[in-house]
Amino acid sequence: MVETSDIRVVRCGGSKVNLTPPIISSDSRYPFVLCTSGDLVKVYSTRTEEWLHSLQGHTNQVTGITLNPANHLQVYSCSVDGTVKLWDFIDGILIKTFVIGCPLFAIYVLSVIVLSECFQLVSVHLPKSAEQEVEAKEMSAVSSHISKNPSCTAFGRGGEYIAFARHLQLNVYFFRKQKTYSFSLKATDKKGAKNAFTCIACHPTDDCIATGHEDGKIRLWRNFIHKKEYTYSTQHWHHNAVNTLCFTPEGTHLLSGGIESVLVQWQYGAGNRKEFLPRLGGSILHISASSDGQLFCTSHSDNKITVIESSFKVCGVIQGLVKDAVLTDLMIDPRSKALVLNGKPGHLQFYSLLRDKHLYNLDIVQQEYIYEAGLDQFEVVKAAFDIKGSWLATVEERGKKSSDLEFFLKLWAFDERTQSFVLNTTITAAHTDRIISMCFSSSEETTMLVTAAEDSQFKAWCQGADADTQQDQNFWSCDFVGSYHKLNPTNCSFSADSSLLAVSFQEVITIWSPDTWEMLTTLCQPPGVIRDLCFGRLSCSKYLLGTTTKNLLCCWNLLTCELEWSTSVDVSKLQPDPFSENVAAFSYQSKHTDLFVFKPSEPRPLFTNKNVCSEKVHRAVFVPREEPLNSCDESTQWLNRSQLYFLTQNMDLLTFSTATEEDRMLSSSKQLVIDDSVAVTPFYLLLGKHRQQQQKLNTQSHPVSDKPQQTQGSVTIKELLHTPAHVLPAASVLCSMFVNSFLISNTGVQQDPLRYFVHIRLKSNGFSYSVMHLLSISLKFLNSFI
Amino acid sequence: MMSTDLRSAMGEFKVHRVRFFDYMPSGIRALAFNQDTERMAVARMDGSVEVFHCSDRFFQEKIIPGREQCGIEGLSWVGERLFSAGLNGGITEYDLTNQKVKYTIDAYGGPIWTITGNQQGTHLAVGCEDGTVKLFEVNEDQIQFERNLDRQKSRIISLSWHPSGSKIAAGMMDMIQVFNVETGHSIHRMLADRGAGTSRSKECVVWSVVYLSDGTIITGDSVGMVKLWDDQTGTLIKSHNVTKCDVLALSVSQNEDSLVAGTSEGIVVQFQFVSMVLEKDDKEWVRTRTFRNHTHDIRAVAEITTAVVSGGMDAQLVVRPLLDKIEVRSAASALRKIHFPHRRLVSCARKSGLMLFQYPGHLELWRLGESEGKGTPGSSLFVKRNPEKLLQLKVKGEDHIRCSAVSPCGGWIVYSTASTLRLYRLHCDNNNISITKISKLPKVLSSANQLCFSSDSSHLFSASAQSSVHIASLSQSGCKFVGTLKPKSGSHQAIHLLAASEDGKWLASANSDHEVHIYNLQTQKAHCTVPVYSSAVTAMGIHPATNCLFMMHADQQMFEYSIEQKQYTDWSRTVQRKGLHRFWVERDTPCLNVMFNPQNPSHVILHDMYMLCIIDQSLPLPDDKTQFYNQLTLKSLTEEQRKSQSHAFKVCKTFKDILCVELMPDQSLVVVERPLEDIATQLPAPIKQKKFAT
């Protein structure tokens, strides 16, 4: 039993991007969108919707991000791990860490940081210090009566006051006067309206607070320094709670959103004049606006960020992994290696975990989804891929609660031409009752689908057996119907070579030969209904594993038809790795889940991880790696070829990462991203050509002598370039040092300064003014050189 | 009509539930608020003018009935004088003491759309159809035409004086003009935009204009905009789109920090002059609250010190308090809706079962139906004989009826308009009804403010000018003047209530200055005056057995005054000492009738618009801790406990929208209801609005 510390549970990929309001960076041609995603802060391009890089460093959920008001190229982030970090988000460099020491749930920056900790509003003084890691201990509580919802707190004009609401009370705290004004609403008015506050926004220039309410009203409060003469106006469009409010930076408009997934733009000060942007997808959770007011961002409940131009046109969608209601298993599409699960209602989503990018949605139900509570609509409940990824079987059903269950079995063929799945066969009454389990045969030659249903039958489906249809296309039809003692099947599984089919009927496992449809044998280990069933792979393919509801994990040897071994463990999910003999078992006991990885042939587990998470795990999948790791450590070897992802009941997608892996990622993120994001200006072209020529020249003429010179001279320059501009000393101080560094390198080659010069320019493009200043000085020097 | 058994702890009554009085209140056309006297003048569509006392729970102090073909378009106070102007082209001043029209002079400018007085109280300006703004000088006892301002092409819809009195803003078709009063010339001409789309072809009517002291002109127009203009440059500062239909009325508060706009959708929108950055002076007009209390067009709004008053086509006067301006929240500061007049429109001939209903232009006489058998409490009884309408009496002349009465025996009907008083003898044998007008009336009975018969129907009491009451004796031969009762001293305000005692010995009169005089009818002399209370008397009655005068006041206080001893009774003093229950004081409609139950002398029956109440003077008074509406609780208790729990006030809320309750000699109650829903169905259709989820 090795409990190793170099394997760690991480949130990596597929995390929520809609937890906090996204940020749109300012002052660049193509603004970035920053959003929290698990332990990371991700930076996306608004133009291409691509994930550029991520800010990595927090060790727990990031709960808030906000631009540094003193430098709009920096961002503060806070996390449950109790730290606030300051980042240079363009290059992804961590500038500073402030250790605060208690879980932080939101951050609001304006001259001071105010954050909520144990749902208390605390203002923290960030000490000024040159050190990388600073402890910030100077805290003062503002209020302990704040809502758990971070959008119920907002800063007013220029940070002079803070408005926060809880339940039916609105409080405004003035920092200078240190005085709180409170206003309450009645619990309900005569018409039964629910008046509780749901969100707050403050006007950037006027003293006006907009509040959203549970009944969909928006109130605009004014004159709130008076106990009695305060006043508010009410506007009502939303039919349900207003989730979020946001003023545009100029203060001319107010944006609001709710469950209707309609973005509403109210003209400030003009009463009822409003514009709508409907059909945005899931309900709107957050809205943010860029500082120039050109772009808006809405984040939605279906883990999506929509980028909207100020002309109210959607210009980009950043889609995360949708995990609202996962009914299917986690699957891997054998072709694209993408994770497949329920996505949008009635869809299957294909999500690349490696690139952490949503690939596409496959519409399974092909019906319009109506966003309304209480409607019974078709949902995809089962899906399975065949081994090559050319066939996909799906089951959709509705009427779970009512007695009249409706379901369809659909088979989809992969179309090489369109590179997507095309509906091949729809089977309306595949079974008389709901389908419990479904699997494809794993052989390469013939594809066969087996479905087991609650009508105590299992059916095998084959392609093209139907002679009635005189068409080129081959449709799927039923090949065999099997049953066993009128018992309800619980699971079905093919062996690795598809020579055997195991179908479990309550406590009994029956083994069938798919070629002859002959029942070969039965295996039974009462008591307990079989819950999970899987065959061993590769060298262990003679083993069949099963788990029962009576907390038993059994392993049968199929050659002897005997129980090889069994152990008492409550396994909630049994997941074989398709690329190795390994099998992962998640067991839930006393409020935490443990993971065991073992080979069926060996009695000793390869890897054990106690307390993986605190919830039950019902869904897990092995995701193949693009390039295998070559770790020799016994405990990490099982992660060499594939990575284990699992979904907790809280819909957190977790995975295991090894130390080596993390090291590699960390080192890659340290590299400066400069070349690609640079705008192509005439200046760049000129210098770029120059540089290329010189590089060629260098490589040709001085292949050996060039290298040491570069490293020698670049120590100072690297320091100069890698230090954030705002912590650098004045340019005049640096100048001599900078130029001196050139002078040293100038002994042999004259072209060298120019190369560095290019570096500086590139850097300065997105970054600092002090270097620009420096540049003009050094240019003069350079002129004198050349 | 329905008959119901009403049986409970308060006694057992057979109830005639009368719903055939088709009273229709008339829509409100104009409002004018007098800050100094705290009076609100209301002009209705039928030409009647009412004066409400704002600090006395909006009691309707004065009613000046209208005339046929007299549409009032504007009302204006000048000092304590009230002027109105209408589409008949005349300016009318009212004699508020005697509650009648003082004089009417023609402005010679065609129909008048608006009238407004300046703050100095020296001039009146009227806007006429022919496009002139006419200035009238207000003299001691008359108004005098002074001059015209520059004549415009289109009619003048609305006018507003600058508080200094040197400039006038006038709203017209498609534009607003600002006049210099001194020269009479136009200073600025500001064009109001027409609506977009199809409404572009329609003229934009500037329905209302307000001129603020800082030079801002605020207009409300038919496009649905409230616009703010600068009078220095004549430019538009800001416009608020309030509604899709018309903004009909505007009113600004006294200190010019709040503005209300009434629209034809029936909503009132408030704007406030709020500093955009706190504690700085750059203020802006911001739309804040919206009040939805009306179903139809709001034709008039007025912002008074602590409330917004609005009235419109749905004929209700709504007083919406502004909580931020109220020091203490109390019953006086609650939302108030005034539907019915605070006068009795029904009189009842108790002995013969006849009801007289007073409409503006006619009277209706009905005979009550009869029912059979007994039922369980709350059940309807079988109606043996349907009620029938015996008579409809149209008024001669153009004036509307001011007051009317039917004698207790059912033999006499009398009514009075502003100009005439008519007395009729009613002959009723079996099913033949005949009516004869008494032709030779004494000269003093030319007009009456209030009319009342003695309980034996032998005398008619007619309240007339100078707070005097004329007595006329009635006999088969006719009507003979007997004498005049005059108060010893006091004001000359018109009498609005008369109460004669059952034994014919006493007569009590109440006038709008809250004075109650008691006269001895045998000596025809003033007997005494009840100490003047600060609130108006809304109903009074003389107890048949004890001859105590029971008075209800607008602030819901009650007094019992012993006429013989000339002092308040012990019970009344106890009530005043212990105070009334909170729930009783917080009711928002005044009591309109005081009756006594001859079978149970300790019972006093009262009613207001929402309830019927029997006060048992023998039971203890409730204090604030006791349950006030305890009828249901009492029902569940045993006889013994009931005694300890019960208190003097027994309230019945079975009936709603009550116009009148009368106790008949056979222990049956007549309850005249006029359900508000019935009124609403008879109103013209409101503007159709798209509502969510319809």
Side-chain angles (χ1 to χ4, degrees), chain A residues 453-507:
Chain A
E454 273 178 347
D455 59 354
S456 64
Q457 283 178 341
F458 74 90
K459 289 186 181 176
W461 307 84
C462 276
Q463 197 192 1
D466 195 357
D468 297 346
T469 46
Q470 307 281 319
Q471 281 172 332
D472 309 338
Q473 254 186 313
N474 285 326
F475 295 106
W476 287 73
S477 57
C478 186
D479 187 38
F480 175 74
V481 181
S483 66
Y484 180 80
H485 287 290
K486 294 280 171 212
L487 288 172
N488 265 351
T490 54
N491 226 318
C492 59
S493 176
F494 273 101
S495 67
D497 58 353
S498 295
S499 61
L500 291 175
L501 168 70
V503 184
S504 63
F505 290 92
Q506 304 292 346
E507 297 167 2

Side-chain angles (χ1 to χ4, degrees), chain A residues 244-396:
Chain A
T244 176
L245 287 169
C246 174
F247 275 104
T248 55
E250 306 89 7
T252 50
H253 291 97
L254 173 68
L255 301 162
S256 70
I259 195 162
E260 303 88 355
S261 74
V262 180
L263 182 66
V264 188
Q265 179 174 259
W266 307 79
Q267 201 171 336
Y268 175 70
N272 283 324
R273 213 172 296 161
K274 49 191 176 283
E275 276 181 70
F276 304 104
L277 183 62
R279 290 182 285 279
L280 288 174
S283 65
I284 297 175
L285 299 181
H286 307 286
I287 304 172
S288 53
S290 68
S291 57
D292 55 357
Q294 289 301 307
L295 287 175
F296 308 131
C297 261
T298 54
S299 51
H300 300 263
S301 61
D302 54 355
N303 208 10
K304 182 172 79 175
I305 295 174
T306 311
V307 185
I308 296 159
E309 282 171 12
S310 55
S311 56
F312 253 47
K313 261 188 223 152
V314 174
C315 66
V317 175
I318 297 163
Q319 175 76 57
L321 182 66
V322 186
K323 297 176 295 188
D324 290 336
V326 179
L327 300 165
T328 62
D329 274 332
L330 302 182
M331 286 161 296
I332 295 297
D333 174 21
R335 278 173 194 270
S336 62
K337 305 284 184 273
L339 179 70
V340 180
L341 68 161
N342 284 106
K344 268 163 55 174
H347 288 64
L348 279 182
Q349 63 178 332
F350 286 69
Y351 192 87
S352 165
L353 282 169
L354 289 165
R355 286 187 289 151
D356 202 0
K357 187 172 161 44
H358 179 89
L359 299 180
Y360 64 95
N361 276 318
L362 181 64
D363 190 355
I364 301 295
V365 171
Q366 301 182 332
Q367 275 180 15
E368 180 76 19
Y369 186 80
I370 302 155
Y371 282 91
E372 195 172 316
L375 279 186
D376 196 7
Q377 310 194 57
F378 272 108
E379 285 286 354
V380 184
V381 290
K382 290 267 180 301
F385 284 98
D386 81 329
I387 194 143
K388 285 178 290 185
S390 50
W391 288 99
L392 166 68
T394 59
V395 177
E396 67 210 58

